[in-house]
Amino acid sequence: MRKIKLLIGRILYLGASHLPESFFWINIGQKQIRAFCGKLILTKCGKNVNIEKGASFPSSVELGDNSGIGIRAQINGKVIIGKDVMMGPDVCVYAINHEIHRVDIPMNHQGFAPEKPVAIGDDVWIGARAIILPGVRIGTGAVIGAGAVVTKDVPDYAVVGGNPARILKMRK
């Protein structure tokens, strides 16, 4: 049953991912249609979610209540997104990376390193074009600045930015 649900969700999302952004001036129910697809595709999908136009994500993603996946966001691997999370356009979240440790064979023949899930806490704002790398935990109430490259855990209520991301200030 799960496989059939997933297949139906993916087929529907093929079309739904091309509908206008959720807050476009023409409303044809695009937010609700993509949320329905999310309920079919995702491991866990909360209430009142917003999956935006062009987002790419695996079924292993968990999306909390009142949270969103941004326009053209790219998510790979196991990613747990808490409640009330805002995600800007073109955000990349990676839980999987290439293996690079051997030098005797080309990197493109080494496969993938073990998956390192990403956890994003509740009430987080992820700015446009931010990149979150494997194994990172984003704390509750954190703000990830636009264009930040997050390579390490972010504490609760921290505002981070830059490449690599560093704490700019604390919200509390």
Side-chain angles (χ1 to χ4, degrees):
M1 184 64 176
R2 171 74 183 133
K3 286 184 180 182
I4 293 170
K5 213 169 111 174
L6 178 61
L7 180 62
I8 292 169
R10 284 285 175 205
I11 291 168
L12 290 174
Y13 187 69
L14 281 173
S17 69
H18 297 287
L19 294 173
E21 291 90 357
S22 294
F23 300 104
F24 192 66
W25 62 277
I26 296 174
N27 183 353
I28 56 172
Q30 57 268 36
K31 180 179 175 183
Q32 292 79 10
I33 293 167
R34 285 191 291 260
F36 177 73
C37 292
K39 297 233 183 263
L40 296 174
I41 296 169
L42 299 175
T43 300
K44 178 186 168 217
C45 186
K47 297 174 185 168
N48 192 35
V49 299
N50 184 27
I51 299 171
E52 276 293 357
K53 175 181 181 166
S56 173
F57 51 90
S59 61
S60 58
V61 170
E62 295 182 17
L63 186 60
D65 295 342
N66 307 306
S67 290
I69 297 175
I71 299 167
R72 294 179 308 276
Q74 299 290 314
I75 299 175
N76 80 13
K78 176 73 172 171
V79 177
I80 301 166
I81 301 169
K83 297 176 184 174
D84 302 303
V85 173
M86 296 186 295
M87 186 182 295
D90 302 307
V91 167
C92 296
V93 184
Y94 300 111
I96 302 170
N97 206 347
H98 292 278
E99 188 62 68
I100 62 168
H101 290 95
R102 294 186 58 186
V103 294
D104 59 323
I105 56 175
M107 288 181 277
N108 65 344
H109 295 288
Q110 293 185 41
F112 293 94
E115 184 175 47
K116 295 179 182 174
V118 171
I120 299 170
D122 297 337
D123 190 30
V124 171
W125 178 15
I126 305 170
R129 296 190 175 163
I131 300 171
I132 300 170
L133 296 181
V136 168
R137 183 197 162 279
I138 308 291
T140 296
V143 176
I144 310 301
V149 179
V150 184
T151 60
K152 296 179 180 170
D153 290 355
V154 175
D156 293 350
Y157 303 103
V159 177
V160 302
N163 179 8
R166 62 182 180 81
I167 297 173
L168 303 174
K169 67 181 184 178
M170 299 300 289
R171 292 182 59 216
K172 265 188 160 182

